[in-house]
Amino acid sequence: MKDPRRGRLALRLLQSLAFGGLLAVGSAFTGVAPARAWAQEGGGDELDQLAAETTRLARAGKDDEAIAKLKEFLAKEPTAEQAYKLRDRIDSGIWISLLAKGGDAENIAKRILELATGGERMHREDPAAIKAAVLELRSDDYIARRKAVSTLVNQAGPYSVPALVAALAGSPDTDVRATICYALSLLGSEGVLPLLPVLKSSDPVIVKNAITILEKSHDPRSAGALATVAEKHPDPTVQKHAREALSTIEGASGRSAHDLWLGLASRYYGASASPIKQAGMTSPIWNWTDQGLVKSEVPRELYWLRLAEDAAHEALAASPTSIDARAWLVRALVSQAHVASMVNVSLANDSNLARAMGTDAIERAIETAKADNDAVGQAGAAEALGTNEAQGLDAIKSAIAAVTASTGRGQTTDDPATTVKILIDAVDQSAVRHVLVIDPDDDARRNLVGLLTDQGFFAVGEKGGLRGLVRTKRSAPPDLVILRAEIQDITADRVVRELHDDYRTKDVPVLLVSDAKDLEKLKSMWGDKVKGVKPWPLPVTGGEVADAIRAMLGPETNPARQQADAVAVKAAEALAAISASPEARAQYPLAPEDIKRIGQMLAKKDEIRTPLLVALGGLATSRDVATSDELRRMIGDASIAAPVRAAAARSLGQIWGSSPAPEEVVQSLASALADADAAVASAAGDGLRVANLSPEKRLMVYAAHKTPADVLSGKKAEGDAKPEAGGDAPKEDADSNKN
């Protein structure tokens, strides 16, 4: 006995196809080897003969023979156009019977109907035919006009709307406009989705005509858009017209645009979970732009979710303070990203935008998804929320003890302030390359130290050669010495000799600087004769000497500096751990000057400054303007490593988590959403999630960075951009009942 549910499903499948749907069927069947292709595009008499023979066999109860005929058809690798023509030549009842039969019959029928959908789409989307039919609407011949209306409504369907709207805006003739409105009204439910964006036109006459047409459809999908016009359109007469249209839709009158859009978002989102899966092609999304009504193609797997996202966006635009609208945006965005990952479409931006909707919206999304048994939405929102598990206090104390022991301080002090100072000092001694400047000229020495500091070096100065040598023996040796040849207390030769005689400094290179007039003399005395000594002319400029120093030092640091580096990394990580733990912050409070010092050490190596940035996210506040500005600079500097920029983005959001984030902070984070590096873009989303943004600013961020619909399928949006030539926009309403 046949399962009656299978028959009902078959009917639903065929109905879906009747409106241009496409069925995901996986592997339709096996065992069919490629045979000769159809001789010509249309298939000609062969298609007629096949359709007639298949129909005869099916009506005679010879289903197996009918199926064999269709199998032969598929073996010849037909085009979508041929499948479309065959579909229309065979009665729909036969297709329903084959779909309900199951097995090979169902798979073969699905495959042909799937191909036919593509052919139907090409048949309907014929720009030349649509343009010709629209032009024919101006004809004085009544029969020609009726034929054109029939072509636009029955053949082109919703794909005729852009051309019809453009013609409506461009025709001064009342009779022509009336015919156009008549054609649009005959589209019924098929015309609703492309007509809704027309309500955003700046031309009140076009908007009123669109309202009149939508009113006749009584379609609940138009309720939110009509309510938006009723609430916000600048023309009171247009508002009144929209309210009247809204009153004809059951359950819509008296409800806000926000509520109606949210209800639509929920229904669209629910439709995405339909057991009838559409796949393999695209569906149109319609939008109003400065050029008019345009169509973008969206993969059908994402179609309902994209409609849900757009509806949630409209709800948020209607009520920017609505946390429910932002929560629906989160669910739609993360679900799209999930589905896209399964059909090889990259939608990382959607996940990042979901984070930008804010922690409160993400938490609401998790709550509502759980209540709706929406596992995908719940998991995606939870991932957008993220987790930052703080280390335990004992682990942090152990890390501090390791740093203290490495610095030669012995046991950890009981004084929290001293402990913090030890950690910060350890970071400060890291191997940002140390340069010792020995120059008796105070102004020149201080200027050079400043130049080197700006270039990312840790530079110190001494006035005399003896004091310089003492410094190298009492502290970690420098990576390079810049020595003025004309020092006064001892000779430059003695300084170089003593450096080379000490095993700790024997490999430290020396940049020997002198006036240009003495440079040749220095070269003859030193040149390449003494390893690691390089003459250099005065005046010394920051960029040039920095490049020379880097070339002399190479990638390696001396062992003492390497050890200092390792300790600095541990100290920076300990500071980051303290910042992430409320308990640790209470035990080791950092004074404002401590936080300021951390903010001044962001030029260090990446493995050091990355945890420092994490620390600043938990410690700095909006009062630390210099730190905030430096983080914004780092985020926008593409030459900085991505993990560092990502840490800067997250920390910038945290710094502005309590005080309202200023426009420049929002712009820095929002711009980073489009960063070429995925880690930076994701971190920017995290930064926006935790930053203190008004609902209006979150709406602005979403609207500015929303993934364009055409990006989803890689196809450029298209449509009849502008009104056709022939006159100014009409100044009065067209009579939509006139044909």
Side-chain angles (χ1 to χ4, degrees):
M1 181 177 179
K2 289 186 178 180
D3 185 347
R5 292 174 297 179
R6 179 176 290 277
R8 290 195 294 271
L9 178 59
L11 180 59
R12 290 176 63 196
L13 292 171
L14 195 61
Q15 289 171 337
S16 174
L17 288 163
F19 289 96
L22 182 67
L23 305 172
V25 298
S27 176
F29 56 90
T30 59
V32 179
R36 70 174 182 85
W38 288 87
Q40 54 186 358
E41 180 62 24
D45 293 340
E46 287 185 81
L47 282 175
D48 290 333
Q49 293 171 7
L50 174 62
E53 185 65 10
T54 302
T55 300
R56 183 187 67 78
L57 292 169
R59 286 177 176 169
K62 299 179 180 180
D63 287 351
D64 291 342
E65 294 180 44
I67 293 166
K69 289 288 183 183
L70 296 177
K71 203 168 188 178
E72 290 176 10
F73 170 73
L74 284 174
K76 296 175 183 178
E77 298 180 345
T79 66
E81 177 74 9
Q82 291 162 350
Y84 166 63
K85 290 180 177 179
L86 180 64
R87 186 197 77 182
D88 282 1
R89 284 165 169 77
I90 297 176
D91 186 75
S92 61
I94 294 175
W95 292 117
I96 292 174
S97 175
L98 293 175
L99 289 168
K101 191 176 181 66
D104 232 16
E106 179 183 7
N107 286 333
I108 290 171
K110 279 183 178 180
R111 179 59 182 150
I112 293 173
L113 294 175
E114 176 185 310
L115 277 173
T117 302
E120 180 183 30
R121 181 77 177 269
M122 290 186 290
H123 185 65
R124 303 188 88 187
E125 282 191 272
D126 185 341
I130 292 172
K131 183 177 181 180
V134 170
L135 289 173
E136 199 67 23
L137 295 178
R138 300 176 179 177
S139 172
D140 292 332
D141 185 340
Y142 173 78
I143 300 300
R145 291 201 310 272
R146 295 291 297 185
K147 184 178 179 181
V149 169
S150 177
T151 298
L152 292 167
V153 173
N154 298 319
Q155 178 177 311
Y159 304 105
S160 67
V161 175
L164 286 169
V165 171
L168 183 65
S171 176
D173 189 300
T174 302
D175 289 338
V176 172
R177 293 202 307 273
T179 303
I180 292 171
C181 288
Y182 173 67
L184 286 168
S185 66
L186 289 179
L187 289 172
S189 61
E190 275 200 298
V192 170
L193 289 182
L195 272 175
L196 292 182
V198 179
L199 297 178
K200 296 183 179 181
S201 169
S202 59
D203 185 339
V205 176
I206 296 296
V207 174
K208 290 178 77 173
N209 280 315
I211 291 172
T212 298
I213 296 164
L214 289 168
E215 180 180 3
K216 293 180 179 180
S217 73
H218 306 293
D219 195 306
R221 293 174 296 174
S222 65
L226 290 171
T228 299
V229 174
E231 291 175 4
K232 296 192 174 184
H233 199 280
D235 187 330
T237 63
V238 175
Q239 288 186 8
K240 181 175 181 293
H241 198 35
R243 284 194 296 272
E244 291 171 351
L246 196 61
S247 67
T248 67
I249 299 175
E250 185 178 356
S253 185
R255 297 179 63 192
S256 68
H258 166 267
D259 291 348
L260 290 168
W261 278 119
L262 273 193
L264 190 58
S266 176
R267 289 194 293 275
Y268 282 148
Y269 191 91
S272 71
S274 168
I276 301 179
K277 295 297 183 183
Q278 297 181 329
M281 287 180 62
T282 60
S283 292
I285 294 286
W286 307 90
N287 290 289
W288 188 262
T289 70
D290 293 339
Q291 286 74 42
L293 183 64
V294 297
K295 171 179 66 67
S296 300
E297 296 294 338
V298 175
R300 289 198 171 177
E301 297 89 343
L302 299 172
Y303 177 67
W304 294 110
L305 290 171
R306 181 61 187 223
L307 289 178
E309 178 191 344
D310 290 345
H313 179 197
E314 295 290 354
L316 188 59
S319 180
T321 60
S322 169
I323 186 175
D324 289 322
R326 282 189 286 127
W328 268 114
L329 265 178
V330 169
R331 289 177 66 178
L333 288 166
V334 299
S335 294
Q336 281 184 94
H338 171 76
V339 174
S341 68
M342 298 189 295
V343 292
N344 297 320
V345 176
S346 176
L347 280 185
N349 184 57
D350 279 21
S351 296
N352 298 335
L353 273 180
R355 293 183 176 93
M357 290 303 97
T359 300
D360 56 346
I362 296 173
E363 290 175 341
R364 179 69 62 85
I366 294 172
E367 176 186 330
T368 57
K370 184 177 180 180
D372 294 341
N373 292 318
D374 172 20
V376 171
Q378 185 179 352
E383 184 178 348
L385 187 62
T387 55
N388 270 329
E389 293 186 6
Q391 288 186 35
L393 187 58
D394 289 341
I396 294 173
K397 288 181 176 180
S398 297
I400 292 172
V403 172
T404 305
S406 300
T407 58
R409 300 283 188 124
Q411 296 299 314
T412 305
T413 175
D414 292 332
D415 179 25
T418 303
T419 298
V420 169
K421 185 177 186 304
I422 290 172
L423 293 174
I424 296 176
D425 285 346
V427 174
D428 210 7
Q429 289 297 313
S430 65
V432 169
R433 297 301 182 86
H434 283 213
V435 178
L436 172 61
V437 179
I438 303 175
D439 192 330
D441 186 320
D442 293 340
D443 291 337
R445 184 178 66 253
R446 282 192 288 266
N447 182 56
L448 184 53
V449 167
L451 289 172
L452 291 171
T453 301
D454 291 341
Q455 290 291 326
F457 296 97
F458 178 78
V460 294
E462 291 292 353
K463 187 170 186 175
L466 285 173
R467 291 180 62 86
L469 289 170
V470 169
R471 176 180 281 274
T472 66
K473 298 180 185 303
R474 288 186 175 177
S475 60
D479 294 291
L480 180 137
V481 174
I482 297 180
L483 175 62
R484 180 70 178 264
E486 297 83 14
I487 56 174
Q488 298 167 358
D489 57 340
I490 57 175
T491 65
D493 178 73
R494 179 179 169 186
V495 173
V496 173
R497 191 168 58 250
E498 290 204 23
L499 286 172
H500 284 188
D501 287 345
D502 188 330
Y503 77 95
R504 297 170 69 251
T505 57
K506 63 184 179 65
D507 294 322
V508 173
V510 178
L511 197 65
L512 195 61
V513 299
S514 180
D515 293 325
K517 61 184 178 62
D518 297 323
L519 188 61
E520 290 304 318
K521 180 180 177 182
L522 283 178
K523 288 181 178 179
S524 65
M525 291 176 59
W526 301 94
D528 296 329
K529 299 176 183 178
V530 180
K531 181 182 178 182
V533 178
K534 181 180 180 66
W536 190 267
L538 288 171
V540 177
T541 59
E544 291 181 1
V545 75
D547 291 340
I549 291 172
R550 293 186 182 101
M552 293 175 73
L553 292 177
E556 300 297 328
T557 57
N558 62 53
R561 294 263 59 81
Q562 291 174 10
Q563 182 182 2
D565 242 3
V567 174
V569 170
K570 292 179 181 178
E573 291 173 347
L575 288 168
I578 290 173
S579 75
S581 167
E583 189 178 7
R585 287 200 304 271
Q587 180 150 347
Y588 302 104
L590 275 76
E593 55 268 25
D594 296 326
I595 299 171
K596 182 177 180 181
R597 279 190 68 191
I598 295 173
Q600 292 170 341
M601 294 190 290
L602 297 179
K604 294 185 177 294
K605 290 183 176 182
D606 290 352
E607 57 265 37
I608 297 172
R609 63 177 172 175
T610 300
L612 288 183
L613 287 165
V614 174
L616 286 171
L619 299 171
T621 67
S622 58
R623 293 189 297 272
D624 300 302
V625 177
T627 297
S628 178
D629 289 345
E630 175 61 11
L631 264 57
R632 289 197 300 110
R633 184 198 68 77
M634 294 174 75
I635 294 168
D637 187 349
S639 67
I640 295 176
V644 178
R645 296 170 61 216
R650 288 190 177 90
S651 294
L652 184 62
Q654 288 178 283
I655 287 172
W656 290 96
S658 299
S659 301
E663 186 63 28
E664 60 270 18
V665 169
V666 178
Q667 285 300 321
S668 291
L669 291 171
S671 297
L673 286 172
D675 196 88
D677 189 279
V680 176
S682 176
D686 284 333
L688 287 165
R689 174 176 65 82
V690 299
N692 186 346
L693 271 64
S694 67
E696 291 80 7
K697 281 188 176 178
R698 294 198 185 278
L699 172 58
M700 290 173 60
V701 169
Y702 168 78
H705 294 275
K706 174 182 179 181
T707 302
D710 53 290
V711 170
L712 302 182
S713 63
K715 295 183 180 180
K716 187 177 180 181
E718 54 188 48
D720 288 86
K722 296 181 180 179
E724 298 176 11
D728 297 330
K731 304 301 180 185
E732 59 183 280
D733 291 348
D735 179 2
S736 300
N737 293 313
K738 191 173 182 179
N739 55 29

